[in-house]
Amino acid sequence: MGNFRINASEAPSFILTGFPGMEAMEPWLSFPFLLFYAISIVGNSLILLIVKEEQSLHQPMYYFLSLLSVNDLGVSFSTLPTVLAALCFHARVITFNACLAQMFFIHLFSWTESGILLAMSFDRYVAICNPLRYATVLTNARIVAMGLGTVLRSFVLIVVFPVLLQRLPFCHPQNILSHAYCLHVDMIKLACTDVTLNSHYGLSIVLLTFGLDSALILISYVLILRSVLAIASQEERLKTLNTCVSHILAVLIFYVPMVSVSIVHRFGAGLPHAVHILMSILYLFVPPMLNPVIYSIKTKEIRRRLLKMLFRIKL
């Protein structure tokens, strides 16, 4: 195996894939992707600007929302260069090191988003189940610590991926990826050696992070629901639950596509390639695009400020 080890002079390159069989239409298909990116970048940037400028939004809930927006911008900018290069300019070759870097950042931001959603569920739990201690529990210092801890956890887990990938030999004449960007599970399929360690490590950290985070989010909402049901007034129940709707939707649009794309990659070898493309689009493009839309619609303070900024409406 030593003859196949990668060094700087003989590192392999990879070929990005757009829409096989539809190459003539790819310039037109690039327009929806440009729209996705525009909505994501503009929407999340506006969320950050609104939270910064609006004093009434300087609260833990909106600080976590700002973290989510920064992370979603990271997801968008991680995929933007290769997607546009492949679809608009047919520039499909990517070097091994560039592919490693993109893979690292895509997975880093995905893992970080899971942690941020967990932190946001903790925020809703404290706000609803223990409101009198909300200000003392979620201090600015604790919010910063939670944010840094989430990023550090993701970094420590994901930094192993490039190390493991650099050990693998890629000896095929053409290393063709399944998408217009690099993912760990996609890259290890192209190695011409046993990838059990890579595969098992990837599955383990998925279960230990996404699995644990989603379980804790579910537990937090069970406790929230129990607390809400103890409220005598139905109107107050609905009002309290309404503060969680945006977060619940953000959780669903993140975890459902993520679980779906993981299942398709591991067990859907016989499915049409279009299914793999659709799942990956839902996984990487929909959450960053819809999160700012959901919070702008469902959060009155953000909606009012956004209308004031865009249309100069005096509210």
Side-chain angles (χ1 to χ4, degrees), residues 16-184:
L16 304 167
T17 302
F19 294 88
M22 304 172 65
E23 287 80 5
M25 295 182 62
E26 283 183 355
W28 297 101
L29 292 172
S30 65
F31 285 109
F33 286 94
L34 288 171
L35 180 61
F36 293 161
Y37 282 123
I39 295 173
S40 174
I41 294 170
V42 173
N44 285 295
S45 298
L46 284 173
I47 292 289
L48 290 172
L49 179 62
I50 290 170
V51 173
K52 178 180 179 294
E53 297 294 330
E54 188 65 48
Q55 286 294 122
S56 64
L57 299 182
H58 292 181
Q59 303 173 33
M61 172 182 173
Y62 300 105
Y63 292 150
F64 287 126
L65 176 58
S66 297
L67 287 175
L68 185 65
S69 293
V70 170
N71 193 78
D72 283 340
L73 285 172
V75 173
S76 296
F77 285 122
S78 295
T79 59
L80 178 64
T82 56
V83 170
L84 294 187
L87 296 183
C88 297
F89 305 107
H90 300 287
R92 301 190 182 280
V93 178
I94 183 171
T95 65
F96 178 75
N97 288 331
C99 200
L100 274 186
Q102 184 181 52
M103 178 276 302
F104 172 80
F105 283 110
I106 289 175
H107 289 296
L108 175 69
F109 289 120
S110 296
W111 259 258
T112 301
E113 181 142 349
S114 178
I116 294 172
L117 291 173
L118 175 59
M120 295 174 81
S121 72
F122 178 69
D123 167 80
R124 291 299 83 207
Y125 165 75
V126 177
I128 293 172
C129 299
N130 207 341
L132 296 179
R133 295 189 59 198
Y134 184 73
T136 57
V137 171
L138 286 169
T139 61
N140 288 343
R142 193 160 290 163
I143 291 169
V144 170
M146 291 170 69
L148 291 176
T150 297
V151 175
L152 182 61
R153 181 192 73 165
S154 302
F155 178 84
V156 169
L157 292 173
I158 302 304
V159 77
V160 179
F161 278 167
V163 175
L164 292 178
L165 281 166
Q166 287 180 341
R167 297 172 58 252
L168 299 179
F170 295 89
C171 48
H172 300 292
Q174 289 188 322
N175 296 298
I176 303 176
L177 298 169
S178 300
H179 309 291
Y181 40 82
C182 302
L183 297 176
H184 175 256

Side-chain angles (χ1 to χ4, degrees), residues 128 228-229 231-245 298:
I128 293 172
V228 168
L229 291 176
I231 300 174
S233 169
Q234 183 175 357
E235 183 180 348
E236 285 298 316
R237 290 180 191 173
L238 294 175
K239 184 178 179 181
T240 302
L241 284 174
N242 192 52
T243 64
C244 302
V245 171
K298 295 298 298 181

